Amino acid sequence: MYNFPYSIMEKRSFRERLIKRLYLNRARKRKILVYSTFIATSSFFLLIIGIVGMFILFAVISPFLPNPNRLRQRNTELSTRITDKNGKTLFEVYGEKNRTLAKFSEVSPNLINATLATEDSTFYEHKGFYLVGIVRAVFNRLRGQGLQGGSTITQQVVKNTLLSQERTLWRKVKEFILSLEIENKYTKEEILQLYLNESPYGGQNYGVYTASASYFSKKPSELTLAEAAYLAGLPQRPTYYSPYSSDPKAGVNRQRTVLKLMREKGWVGSDRKRYTITEEEYNKALAEELTFSSITRSIHAPHFVFYVRSLLAEKYGQDFVETGGLQVTTSLDLELQETAERIVAEELEKAKGLRVGNGSLVAIDPKTGYILAMVGSKDFFSDPEPEGCNPGTTGEGSCVFEPSVNTALSERQPGSSIKPITYAALLSKGYTVAFPFLDVPTTFPLGEGYPDYKPVNYDGKFRGPTSLRNALGNSINIPAVKALKIVTLPAMLEFAHNLGITTLRDYSRYGLSLTLGGGETKVLELTNVFATFARGGIYRDPVAILEVKDSQGNVFEKWRDTGGKKVLDEEVSYLISDILADDGARSEVFGPGSLLNIPAHHVAVKTGTTDDKRDNHTYGYTPVIAVGVWVGNNNNSPMHPSLASGITGASPIWNRFMKEYLKDKPDEWFKKPSNIVEVEIDKLTGMLPYSDYKTRVEKFVEGSQPTTRSPWYLKLEICKEDGRIANDACREDDKTKTKNYIKIQAELPEWQEYVDIWVKEKYDDEDEYFPPTKKSKYPDED
């Protein structure tokens, strides 16, 4: 009998289990197949929906997107060329984009390799976008985070040429679609060429051609590996990595990062090969010392150029000025400008010991209003002085965007140089240049709650009676304050506004000290005020632009002489000029033959110095030139106390320039109006001569000359017994005598008490100045 390992029942049970297992496996496989089929079908439908959705998205959005063909049809942005009046180029304005296009073949392989390794190492593999990058951008946006970078070169071309710089999901969608279209329409080399020509490299530099020239004075084909790596690192943060930024090491560190990427990562070509630099090339580039070009551009009369550019931008818009290819002829005389720049620089160097840090000069042709020269500082490109160029402070890292302060347009206190405006306003009210002011200590109440105003003269002296001519010529303060009080502040401000002063706007800020320079003006505007005097009271706007044409030669604007606007009587202008040209009228303060005189030329001139010597001005003019000069410090710190108007400061600059300009020109006097007459007058009072007192000859507008003697002079019959005015008894006893007195009378009754105090202090021992006011009591005794 055989013993089997399994019984019949066990065999049957095993078979059943086996069949059941096979059945379950088949069921599981059928379920997996069903699921797989569902997933595959769903995926297929989702793919179809995605494709259809993509086509719908393209169809809906595409009409509203920029046409990628514009990249071929884009107009090259043309620079605006600014010239002087003789056609000499001053500057070419590129605005934000100084661009010269470079072909792909004209770019060094070093720069192409560096750009690819840094910006897009798989450029030749993708079709315009990184799917991972797009998913990450959407995911971050859904989480409320900002959109991150990581764009392909193609996407950067879209951003730099066809779209704005905003960082929104909607712009990312448009960028994605346009990137696909560009990849379909352009070759990889064309796209890379667009990138190299459109990317920002700091300041005005857009494109590798301009960047290579600006930073290394080379063509892009001549760049070394080290230089190429530096440029390739700039587009990420052009300002921060600029060699002219506040942290120049940042750019060098960025260059080292680029070189490391080129060595370790490289880029993948269309042939699927990875291109990297060798260890030797890497080490050599690291060791190379970069030499950057000077930031000084080929620019003449820089402050004037930027002034002109601002005028153009106001009229035509900034973008058009920077890209429209305008041809601008200006009023500047470049040769004269260079003379002015040289004189300003040389004289300021001499004045260093006086703590004079900066200066400006403006020259205007009175006959036309042309600005012939404008020097805004001692050196536009000086570094690191505050008067110089400040790279890295503008957001673009270029000195062209942060010029030194143009002090010719800055608001500075003018000191006494504003006094001619006050006196012109006074003459316009009918006063004469012979009018006697009383230069005596005077208090001017300013109203309840305000301290009294007690002006003093610069030298602490008080001169007593002095004519308007001498008061203005010697720049005496007390008469100027009195003149403003007589004219009234609102009238003087309106007068200044009519003469072209735009800075004295808030009337509530000013008081009587305005006539001593207590309000800010601009050198350009104040120079033009004196030019208005030179042209006989005819106001012209300062002219900087003579003609503007577009790139095709079409004239947009052209200066035409309109004759100007009369804002001041010719007679008043002449009298102001005559006073300011009178060396004798200023000799008490400045001495005869000072720097305010130009040999062989009749020149009117006025100086001005502010408190603590913070500003020093000289303005002078003839019928053919008006010149204004300012010196001081940009931070408003005081100059040396020994600085003296007419001797140091602005006067030496003004004197040298005027001599240079007038040396070959005939002397031209101010045109004397036909109704100006000369009359002999009493020297003290400005009225008709009296007795044997001194006289002089003065000019008057016909009809305003004196016709009587001054009431200051009194001829009194005095009683000999008591020195009082004679009574009848004194006369009957023949005890009288006739005596001359001078009773000095104030300009206004309210100032008489101050005059009397001064007279008593000055002439206490001289009876002549104290006429009796009481009648004699003779023969009675007191």
Side-chain angles (χ1 to χ4, degrees):
M1 186 175 181
Y2 298 98
N3 294 318
F4 294 99
Y6 302 105
S7 65
I8 294 175
M9 292 297 296
E10 288 174 334
K11 289 181 179 179
R12 183 179 301 165
S13 176
F14 175 77
R15 188 182 302 113
E16 289 175 352
R17 288 198 303 274
L18 181 62
I19 292 172
K20 185 176 181 179
R21 186 177 299 164
L22 290 173
Y23 175 78
L24 289 174
N25 287 340
R26 288 175 182 172
R28 187 179 293 110
K29 288 181 179 179
R30 282 197 299 272
K31 183 181 288 187
I32 291 173
L33 180 61
V34 170
Y35 286 153
S36 300
T37 303
F38 176 77
I39 291 172
T41 304
S42 298
S43 299
F44 175 75
F45 278 110
L46 286 174
L47 179 63
I48 295 298
I49 292 172
I51 293 173
V52 172
M54 186 66 69
F55 275 110
I56 293 174
L57 186 64
F58 269 71
V60 172
I61 296 178
S62 291
F64 302 100
L65 294 177
N67 187 347
N69 288 323
R70 280 173 46 191
L71 296 177
R72 285 197 178 99
Q73 301 167 354
R74 288 179 81 215
N75 293 326
T76 302
E77 295 182 359
L78 301 175
S79 64
T80 288
R81 183 169 177 260
I82 298 176
T83 70
D84 82 338
K85 65 176 186 176
N86 299 313
K88 298 177 182 177
T89 299
L90 301 177
F91 189 53
E92 292 192 10
V93 179
Y94 302 100
E96 295 181 355
K97 295 185 179 181
N98 177 7
R99 188 204 323 273
T100 300
L101 301 181
K103 296 180 181 178
F104 187 80
S105 59
E106 297 173 340
V107 179
S108 166
N110 288 327
L111 183 53
I112 294 172
N113 294 341
T115 299
L116 290 171
T118 305
E119 296 292 337
D120 193 350
S121 62
T122 60
F123 174 69
Y124 283 98
E125 292 186 305
H126 63 66
K127 293 299 181 183
F129 64 94
Y130 291 132
L131 183 58
V132 173
I134 293 177
V135 172
R136 182 176 66 239
V138 174
F139 180 70
N140 287 339
R141 189 62 177 174
L142 293 175
R143 292 174 62 188
Q145 298 179 6
L147 294 175
Q148 297 179 357
S151 300
T152 65
I153 282 178
T154 310
Q155 288 173 294
Q156 292 184 59
V157 168
V158 171
K159 180 174 63 177
N160 291 334
T161 59
L162 300 176
L163 297 178
S164 68
Q165 299 291 320
E166 62 180 337
R167 299 174 70 87
T168 64
L169 185 59
W170 176 240
R171 191 195 62 77
K172 275 289 184 183
V173 171
K174 294 189 288 185
E175 181 183 291
F176 167 70
I177 295 173
L178 288 170
S179 296
L180 293 178
E181 292 190 35
I182 286 175
E183 287 278 345
N184 186 52
K185 292 178 180 293
Y186 298 91
T187 67
K188 287 289 186 180
E189 283 72 22
E190 288 175 326
I191 295 172
L192 188 54
Q193 177 177 301
L194 285 168
Y195 172 85
L196 293 172
N197 280 322
E198 298 289 345
S199 294
Y201 287 89
Q204 292 177 298
N205 303 308
Y206 277 68
V208 294
Y209 197 102
T210 302
S212 300
S214 178
Y215 296 126
F216 300 112
S217 298
K218 291 183 176 182
K219 295 179 180 179
S221 60
E222 301 170 341
L223 295 171
T224 66
L225 177 58
E227 293 166 343
Y230 194 96
L231 291 187
L234 289 175
Q236 186 184 73
R237 295 178 68 185
T239 298
Y240 182 67
Y241 293 132
S242 166
Y244 311 129
S245 72
S246 57
D247 182 14
K249 292 183 179 179
V252 175
N253 292 335
R254 173 64 174 164
Q255 179 225 29
R256 294 179 181 276
T257 300
V258 172
L259 289 170
K260 186 176 181 181
L261 289 171
M262 295 179 73
R263 175 71 189 106
E264 297 179 356
K265 182 180 178 182
W267 57 279
V268 178
S270 57
D271 56 3
R272 303 286 182 174
K273 292 182 180 179
R274 184 169 294 276
Y275 294 88
T276 60
I277 59 175
T278 66
E279 189 70 21
E280 180 182 358
E281 290 173 323
Y282 174 72
N283 291 328
K284 182 180 178 181
L286 285 177
E288 181 179 331
E289 184 176 351
L290 296 176
T291 302
F292 297 101
S293 304
S294 168
I295 56 175
T296 302
R297 305 297 180 92
S298 178
I299 179 172
H300 301 285
H303 282 118
F304 177 77
V305 164
F306 279 91
Y307 171 62
V308 167
R309 191 175 77 163
S310 68
L311 296 178
L312 292 169
E314 288 177 9
K315 186 171 293 187
Y316 301 107
Q318 190 72 23
D319 290 342
F320 189 61
V321 171
E322 294 170 354
T323 63
L326 299 178
Q327 301 172 47
V328 183
T329 303
T330 71
S331 61
L332 196 86
D333 182 325
L334 181 55
E335 185 176 345
L336 189 64
Q337 170 74 20
E338 291 173 343
T339 297
E341 290 175 355
R342 172 175 52 81
I343 291 173
V344 169
E346 291 175 357
E347 291 300 323
L348 288 177
E349 183 67 24
K350 296 176 185 177
K352 275 187 173 180
L354 294 173
R355 298 201 293 266
V356 179
N358 203 3
S360 57
L361 181 151
V362 171
I364 293 177
D365 179 355
K367 296 182 184 298
T368 59
Y370 289 4
I371 300 173
L372 301 177
M374 177 187 282
V375 181
S377 71
K378 66 178 181 182
D379 184 359
F380 181 85
F381 293 107
S382 62
D383 183 38
E385 296 294 330
E387 288 78 30
C389 193
N390 296 312
T393 64
T394 64
E396 292 297 337
S398 166
C399 268
V400 174
F401 276 88
E402 182 64 19
S404 58
V405 175
N406 186 350
T407 57
L409 302 177
S410 299
E411 296 186 15
R412 309 287 303 211
Q413 289 196 350
S416 295
S417 56
I418 201 172
K419 287 177 181 175
I421 298 178
T422 303
Y423 285 110
L426 187 66
L427 292 174
S428 297
K429 289 175 67 72
Y431 285 74
T432 72
V433 296
F435 179 76
F437 281 97
L438 279 304
D439 178 27
V440 300
T442 307
T443 297
F444 299 87
L446 299 182
E448 187 176 352
Y450 294 94
D452 292 340
Y453 180 46
K454 300 178 180 180
V456 296
N457 293 319
Y458 72 98
D459 58 3
K461 298 179 181 179
F462 297 96
R463 295 162 176 80
T466 185
S467 68
L468 186 153
R469 175 180 289 274
N470 284 341
L472 175 55
N474 287 296
S475 197
I476 306 172
N477 288 343
I478 307 299
V481 176
K482 290 183 172 181
L484 178 54
K485 179 68 174 178
I486 295 170
V487 169
T488 74
L489 183 63
M492 189 270 194
L493 288 168
E494 182 180 359
F495 207 83
H497 179 75
N498 291 338
L499 287 168
I501 300 296
T502 64
T503 52
L504 305 177
R505 296 175 290 269
D506 184 0
Y507 285 22
S508 65
R509 283 187 55 209
Y510 311 117
L512 294 177
S513 64
L514 179 65
T515 192
L516 306 183
E520 293 76 17
T521 59
K522 299 177 182 180
V523 174
L524 174 62
E525 292 182 353
L526 203 47
T527 304
N528 197 44
V529 168
F530 288 96
T532 301
F533 291 142
R535 64 175 78 99
I538 303 299
Y539 175 80
R540 296 177 183 270
D541 287 321
V543 177
I545 299 172
L546 301 184
E547 185 178 66
V548 177
K549 296 189 292 187
D550 65 12
S551 58
Q552 306 301 315
N554 300 309
V555 177
F556 284 1
E557 65 173 277
K558 188 170 184 177
W559 179 83
R560 288 180 175 82
D561 190 353
T562 62
K565 177 184 177 182
K566 183 178 180 181
V567 296
L568 187 63
D569 288 343
E570 181 184 9
E571 296 82 3
V572 172
S573 292
Y574 172 79
L575 291 172
I576 291 292
S577 299
D578 187 68
I579 294 171
L580 297 181
D582 185 352
D583 190 47
R586 59 173 173 259
S587 60
E588 180 183 352
V589 170
F590 298 100
S594 68
L595 288 176
L596 305 183
N597 290 275
I598 305 299
H601 287 277
H602 193 66
V603 181
V605 60
K606 184 72 189 76
T607 64
T609 306
T610 59
D611 292 343
D612 299 325
K613 305 293 177 71
R614 298 179 188 276
D615 301 276
N616 180 243
H617 302 255
T618 301
Y619 296 89
Y621 59 99
T622 74
V624 298
I625 189 71
V627 178
V629 177
W630 166 87
V631 298
N633 294 297
N634 284 6
N635 61 6
N636 205 36
S637 61
M639 295 172 283
H640 197 279
S642 64
L643 184 142
S645 283
I647 301 174
T648 53
S651 295
I653 297 173
W654 176 86
N655 179 273
R656 280 189 60 187
F657 182 86
M658 291 295 280
K659 284 180 178 176
E660 188 71 25
Y661 183 83
L662 296 172
K663 64 182 180 181
D664 298 324
K665 296 178 175 62
D667 185 21
E668 187 172 341
W669 287 50
F670 301 105
K671 182 181 178 181
K672 183 178 178 181
S674 59
N675 61 338
I676 294 292
V677 296
E678 296 187 9
V679 177
E680 185 180 12
I681 60 171
D682 177 65
K683 186 175 182 179
L684 180 66
T685 65
M687 303 294 283
L688 290 180
Y690 179 77
S691 185
D692 57 352
Y693 289 100
K694 292 181 180 180
T695 64
R696 65 182 180 88
V697 174
E698 186 55 275
K699 297 182 175 71
F700 296 88
V701 179
E702 190 168 12
S704 70
Q705 65 267 36
T707 57
T708 62
R709 296 181 178 90
S710 172
W712 288 17
Y713 291 119
L714 302 175
K715 181 177 286 188
L716 300 178
E717 187 179 12
I718 304 299
C719 187
K720 296 177 183 180
E721 297 300 315
D722 57 13
R724 295 182 176 182
I725 300 172
N727 58 13
D728 292 341
C730 194
R731 292 190 189 94
E732 289 173 0
D733 291 347
D734 195 22
K735 293 185 177 292
T736 66
K737 64 178 179 179
T738 301
K739 188 174 180 180
N740 289 325
Y741 290 93
I742 302 174
K743 174 57 178 176
I744 300 178
Q745 298 180 21
E747 304 89 339
L748 295 177
E750 63 195 75
W751 298 327
Q752 188 62 48
E753 63 174 301
Y754 306 111
V755 173
D756 292 342
I757 293 172
W758 179 83
V759 170
K760 183 171 179 54
E761 293 176 352
K762 181 73 173 178
Y763 302 110
D764 191 39
D765 297 331
E766 301 181 40
D767 292 341
E768 181 184 15
Y769 290 92
F770 300 95
T773 58
K774 295 180 179 180
K775 211 162 197 181
S776 175
K777 294 183 179 182
Y778 177 83
D780 298 333
E781 296 181 0
D782 290 337

